[in-house]
């Protein structure tokens, strides 16, 4: 009887060993290479980052907001490393020089055609099980934002241009355009 072939299991060390300029994420020991983002993607990241940072600043908030590339080490193990498009972290103890140790409070991913299965399935499950409180999937092609409030077990969809309430901040809404 032939032994089953063992699949390669990668670690964060493999991510750091990638050639300069090459970006990838690591989920459960599997490497997922990332295509460079397009202009529309970057405009959305920039606008969302600005709106969130401005709200936090105006309200003397304790949370920090980071746009990609920003390292998030989701679990205690060394087999999960992601770079969400936007990470909002309210526990300053999670923030180190290398990134965020543990789950951010709020994660936003901008969907590209190549990242759809990752954002809608793989990361959705990973973020929920890691303890992310709120996860937004922004889909520029469908002009739709899917919002998951994991603690309340709520999933809602919004069209671009409508005011989307932010679950972790009472009274804060964002328009994605």
């Amino acid at each position: 009887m032939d032994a089953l072939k063992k699949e390669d299991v990668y670690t964060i060390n493999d991510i750091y060993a990638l050639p300069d300029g090459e970006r990838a994420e690591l989920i459960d020991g599997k490497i997922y290479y990332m295509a460079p983002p397009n202009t529309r993607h970057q405009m959305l990241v920039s606008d969302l980052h600005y709106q969130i940072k401005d709200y936090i600043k105006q309200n003397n908030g304790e949370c920090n907001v980071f746009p990609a590339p920003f390292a998030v080490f989701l679990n205690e193990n060394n087999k999960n490393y992601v770079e969400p498009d936007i990470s909002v972290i309210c526990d300053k103890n999670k923030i180190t020089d290398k990134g965020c140790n543990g789950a951010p409070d709020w994660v936003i991913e901008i969907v590209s055609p190549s990242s759809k299965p990752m954002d809608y399935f793989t990361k959705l499950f990973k973020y929920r099980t890691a303890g992310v409180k709120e996860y937004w999937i922004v889909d520029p092609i469908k002009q739709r934002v899917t919002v998951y409030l994991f603690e309340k077990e709520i999933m809602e969809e919004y069209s671009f241009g409508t005011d989307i309430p932010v679950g972790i901040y009472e009274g804060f809404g964002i328009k994605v355009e």
Side-chain angles (χ1 to χ4, degrees):
M1 182 186 223
D2 291 337
L4 291 174
K5 182 183 172 284
K6 180 188 170 289
E7 277 196 41
D8 288 333
V9 176
Y10 295 95
T11 68
I12 290 164
N13 292 337
D14 296 305
I15 293 291
Y16 284 121
L18 290 172
D20 280 351
E22 183 144 19
R23 288 180 56 214
E25 294 179 307
L26 182 69
I27 296 181
D28 297 329
K30 184 170 187 213
I31 289 183
Y32 297 89
Y33 291 93
M34 298 163 64
N38 65 28
T39 301
R40 186 170 188 194
H41 178 279
Q42 290 305 93
M43 288 173 68
L44 282 163
V45 169
S46 179
D47 184 54
L48 288 165
H49 177 256
Y50 173 79
Q51 288 187 62
I52 297 164
K53 186 159 183 77
D54 188 56
Y55 177 83
I56 292 170
K57 188 176 180 182
Q58 297 297 327
N59 291 278
N60 298 313
E62 294 293 313
C63 303
N64 289 285
V65 57
F66 298 95
F70 180 73
V72 173
F73 307 93
L74 283 174
N75 308 89
E76 295 296 315
N77 67 35
N78 66 350
K79 293 176 182 61
N80 289 284
Y81 166 97
V82 291
E83 292 183 3
D85 289 316
I86 304 273
S87 302
V88 178
I89 301 143
C90 301
D91 180 352
K92 292 195 183 337
N93 293 322
K94 289 182 177 181
I95 300 170
T96 70
D97 285 346
K98 288 191 177 230
C100 176
N101 286 321
D105 294 84
W106 178 19
V107 169
I108 301 174
E109 294 284 8
I110 315 294
V111 174
S112 64
S114 64
S115 74
K116 243 182 180 155
M118 279 290 288
D119 295 333
Y120 280 104
F121 301 105
T122 309
K123 286 185 177 179
L124 171 67
F125 176 76
K126 202 73 204 166
Y127 290 150
R128 188 182 74 216
T129 57
V132 170
K133 293 177 184 158
E134 184 165 358
Y135 176 40
W136 288 24
I137 302 173
V138 177
D139 192 328
I141 293 164
K142 294 181 178 174
Q143 297 207 344
R144 184 178 70 208
V145 180
T146 307
V147 174
Y148 294 90
L149 302 174
F150 294 129
E151 291 177 323
K152 297 177 183 172
E153 296 186 8
I154 293 173
M155 187 274 282
E156 294 179 316
E157 291 188 332
Y158 299 89
S159 297
F160 276 27
T162 58
D163 204 42
I164 304 170
V166 176
I168 67 166
Y169 289 118
E170 187 78 31
F172 176 38
I174 291 180
K175 276 192 175 129
V176 179
E177 316 239 28

